[in-house]
Amino acid sequence: MKARFDVLPLRQRLIAMSLAACAVMLVVSMGAHVVYTLWHEREAHLERMEAVAGIAATASTEAVDLRDELLATQVLVSLSAEPTFVSGAVLDADGRRIASWREAAGDAAGPGRGDATVVPRAWLEAGAEVIHEPSHGEVIVLKPVVVDGATRGFVLLQARRGDIGQLLGMHLATEAGSMLLALLLAGLLAARFAAAIARPVGALLDG
């Protein structure tokens, strides 16, 4: 490869070196941008989940205080407006369900009042917000329901992590198009600059 490069005319070598440098910089820049975008989308998704869980916990205070299954169900069904949520539950302080909802059912679903604990005991004992990301691509948020300064229950939400594959494909296509355009422009500029350099250098060598 080096031997073939060495036999190229000076102008072509200058163009090749310029394009190689541009390509390396563009690939590094593209990779950094894609990684940052995916990280930013993940953080934004978690922030949205935290915000919705906080609103749901506030709206569930009366339902938890009264152990009202109908009120709790109404709060959970309102989550269907957010397409990433797949299930939710309002729990009492011991982790037993007061009401639950699943995306497929679109209404109250699953076991009802008095069921066994559905979240780890350590989460409940912490009495604080918990965000868990299991390996199967979903995010779980547990938000305490506070009444008069005491934790009286919890809101448990489960959501999709988002279509990372689709997002990645979209960004890669956009970045690839930008890279090709940038390389085309860089090639045109490199050809002009190479010609401007090669002519006087060639004249000097001929002289």
Side-chain angles (χ1 to χ4, degrees):
M1 188 72 177
K2 184 177 183 299
R4 293 181 59 185
F5 180 79
D6 290 340
V7 299
L8 289 175
L10 177 61
R11 180 178 176 181
Q12 292 184 18
R13 277 188 278 177
L14 290 172
I15 294 174
M17 290 170 61
S18 299
L19 288 178
C22 289
V24 170
M25 288 187 292
L26 286 171
V27 168
V28 171
S29 176
M30 181 180 71
H33 184 261
V34 169
V35 169
Y36 171 78
T37 300
L38 293 178
W39 175 83
H40 182 268
E41 286 295 325
R42 173 187 172 277
E43 292 299 311
H45 181 59
L46 292 179
E47 288 178 6
R48 285 195 298 271
M49 282 199 65
E50 290 182 66
V52 173
I55 294 171
T58 301
S60 300
T61 53
E62 184 178 358
V64 170
D65 199 34
L66 300 176
R67 297 188 61 83
D68 190 316
E69 184 176 2
L70 179 60
L71 280 177
T73 299
Q74 290 174 346
V75 172
L76 294 172
V77 171
S78 67
L79 298 174
S80 60
E82 174 57 58
T84 59
F85 286 103
V86 296
S87 67
V90 176
L91 315 173
D92 63 16
D94 295 322
R96 298 180 183 275
R97 298 189 192 188
I98 297 174
S100 60
W101 165 84
R102 287 198 192 99
E103 180 188 45
D107 202 341
R113 193 183 306 228
D115 291 322
T117 301
V118 295
V119 295
R121 174 60 57 181
W123 293 10
L124 302 177
E125 292 175 349
E129 181 178 84
V130 175
I131 299 178
H132 179 57
E133 297 183 75
S135 58
H136 49 75
E138 293 182 343
V139 181
I140 298 172
V141 175
L142 183 71
K143 192 83 171 182
V145 178
V146 180
V147 180
D148 296 330
T151 299
R152 301 291 296 275
F154 299 88
V155 169
L156 179 70
L157 301 181
Q158 188 172 18
R160 300 181 189 89
R161 192 173 294 176
D163 195 341
I164 298 298
Q166 182 179 2
L167 182 65
L168 179 61
M170 180 181 67
H171 280 290
L172 286 177
T174 302
E175 297 288 347
S178 301
M179 181 177 175
L180 288 175
L181 179 59
L183 285 175
L184 177 61
L185 295 175
L188 294 174
L189 290 174
R192 297 290 299 272
F193 289 142
I197 295 173
R199 275 195 295 267
V201 171
L204 181 62
L205 292 176
D206 292 339

